[in-house]
Amino acid sequence: MLKRPLALIAALLLILLLSWSLRPRAASDVSRTALIMGTLVEIKGVGLDDKDMEGAISDAFDAMRREEARFSTRIETSQISAINRAITAIEVDPEVLAVLQLGQRISRQSEGAFHPGLGRLLKLWNFEAVSPRVPALSEVNALLPALIGEPVAISGSAVKRLNPDLQLDLGGIAKGYAVDRALAVLRAAGIESASVNAGGDIGLLGGHAERPWKIGIQHPRKTGQLLATLELRDRAVVTSGDYERFFLQDGMRYHHVFDPRTGFPARACQSVSVVTATVAEADALATAAFVLGPIKGLALLERLPDVEGLIVSATGEVEVTSGLKDQIRWR
Amino acid sequence: MALGSLLARMTRTDRWLVLLLMLAAFASLWFVLGRSVGRSLLVYAGDTLAFTAPLDQDRQIELHGPLGDTLIEVVAGKVRVISSPCSRKICIGMGAIQRSGDLLACVPNRVVIRIEGEGGEYDLLSR
């Protein structure tokens, strides 16, 4: 038997030791932000020491800036600007080919609901203006014939617009592709846990250390509130909504997701979130499903392999793909 | 009985040592269980961290960007842009942020505001 209460002292020391090991610490994530492609990009990395992580994140941002230089229609020297000016076929980088091929594939799969050639329509609506306004119906209608059929012909590494009145604008899909490139850079640097968030276009590498990443889905009508959360690893999540960029005219909400068949904002949904393997594909599919509406949009997402999503219809009903039902947590 | 026997076996030094350890253990438990890590506000000018502060102190922050001054307000743990030189004022229209991981930005004036800390409902927001 112990002559002194060593057990009691040992127990108290153990509590102290446990408390020390469980003490609250700041998150070990390294987070950095940059303004790229006209949007705020945040990269978070978990795991490596800060110095290695900082270097990898800088390289990932550089990769995104290279894609901006290739794809931006605001940059005169970009390859998309060059295609939009050219009247003959021009040679482009494999990255541009890959995104154009993806855009054409999803355009076909969605029966034209996604279209990579809305450059003129976007300029006409001009959401960047101080006071955007609804253009005349005749102006909109004049642009629609160019949007029928395939936008470009691809032969080897050469690309040519099939209609001189069509202007490419890969916008969101190029932003998604840039996120995918950034993730590839982080992966090549040996990082196993990271996220890249470009204005809500999210790409995930692994989980958040041991646990999955927790992704909040914005409620389309309740500012600052969540509709749902998802726990994901190694996935891409993109939401298209009518609430981010819009203006009101005569009591109507005019947002930036256009139906290529009418030239006006699509009206059947409030938001669509898509979960799939790459951010570029998620981006294009979220736009396509938004334009198609809850019934056809859900059918499209269900039909494609390795694609899940949730759709909030214009009247607020929520549709979820079968593979996502058990993963989603409603708020 | 058991406690009486225990006390009887303890010397004065033992009692002081146990008392001290008990106080330290209670203090440690309070530290671990009773207190969460405070959330912080991080403000970037372009890619550079320009300002950081705890979120539980009300304040106003004026940050100079390429277009002029952006005025940021922190009240009751919520952060919003209240004045901006940008043309469309989207940053003001975004309203207040308050959760860990939330972001607010004025892209034209290159101002980025981020809330950091533990305990958020999510890591990233898809919007």
Side-chain angles (χ1 to χ4, degrees), chain A residues 119 126 162 170 240:
Chain A
N126 193 10
L162 288 172
L170 293 167
S240 277

Side-chain angles (χ1 to χ4, degrees), chain A residues 70-316:
Chain A
R70 280 194 180 99
F71 287 100
S72 175
T73 53
R74 296 178 183 184
I75 297 173
E76 286 283 307
T77 53
S78 78
Q79 296 198 2
I80 298 302
S81 294
I83 296 170
N84 282 340
R85 280 193 304 270
I87 50 171
T88 55
I90 63 167
E91 297 285 320
V92 296
D93 291 342
E95 291 84 355
V96 175
L97 275 183
V99 174
L100 281 173
Q101 282 164 342
L102 173 68
Q104 302 239 89
R105 172 169 68 81
I106 292 178
S107 184
R108 281 193 295 273
Q109 286 171 331
S110 65
E111 296 173 353
F114 173 83
H115 200 293
L118 301 186
R120 289 220 159 131
L121 193 67
L122 294 171
K123 266 190 190 152
L124 179 65
W125 281 85
N126 193 10
F127 270 67
E128 303 303 319
V130 176
S131 304
R133 50 172 292 283
V134 180
L137 185 60
S138 58
E139 291 178 290
V140 174
N141 285 341
L143 301 180
L144 299 183
L147 302 179
I148 297 167
E150 296 274 309
V152 293
I154 299 173
S155 173
S157 58
V159 175
K160 185 188 175 203
R161 282 176 299 143
L162 288 172
N163 188 319
D165 291 334
L166 179 136
Q167 293 281 284
L168 294 177
D169 189 317
L170 293 167
I173 188 172
K175 187 169 72 177
Y177 182 75
V179 172
D180 291 327
R181 300 302 300 164
L183 288 170
V185 168
L186 296 170
R187 192 182 292 113
I191 294 168
E192 294 176 350
S193 296
S195 66
V196 182
N197 181 2
D201 285 15
I202 294 171
L204 305 172
L205 189 59
H208 185 283
E210 300 303 313
R211 63 169 173 83
W213 291 95
K214 285 186 280 187
I215 309 298
I217 306 292
Q218 168 77 48
H219 195 294
R221 288 292 178 268
K222 295 178 183 169
T223 308
Q225 289 189 34
L226 297 183
L227 174 68
T229 56
L230 293 165
E231 295 196 348
L232 300 167
R233 296 173 190 267
D234 285 314
R235 295 272 87 183
V237 189
V238 174
T239 297
S240 277
D242 65 0
Y243 50 88
E244 275 288 294
R245 291 169 68 199
F246 69 91
F247 65 90
L248 298 169
Q249 186 173 315
D250 302 326
M252 284 282 283
R253 179 192 290 250
Y254 294 92
H255 59 82
H256 69 296
V257 187
F258 291 99
D259 186 336
R261 299 160 297 188
T262 65
F264 276 78
R267 292 288 177 205
C269 296
Q270 293 177 1
S271 74
V272 174
S273 300
V274 171
V275 180
T276 186
T278 70
V279 186
E281 187 170 10
D283 218 324
L285 286 173
T287 303
F290 189 102
V291 170
L292 287 171
I295 297 169
K296 286 186 174 178
L298 190 71
L300 171 70
L301 301 182
E302 290 279 21
R303 194 167 66 239
L304 297 173
D306 199 27
V307 173
E308 303 295 340
L310 70 92
I311 300 176
V312 183
S313 74
T315 48

Side-chain angles (χ1 to χ4, degrees), chain B residues 7 11 17 27 39 44 52 61 65 72 83 94 103 109 111 117 123:
Chain B
L7 287 171
T11 66
L17 184 62
R39 288 172 301 145
Y44 294 83
T52 180
I61 305 148
I72 300 154
S83 165
M94 286 177 80
L103 288 163
N109 207 30
V111 172
D123 300 308

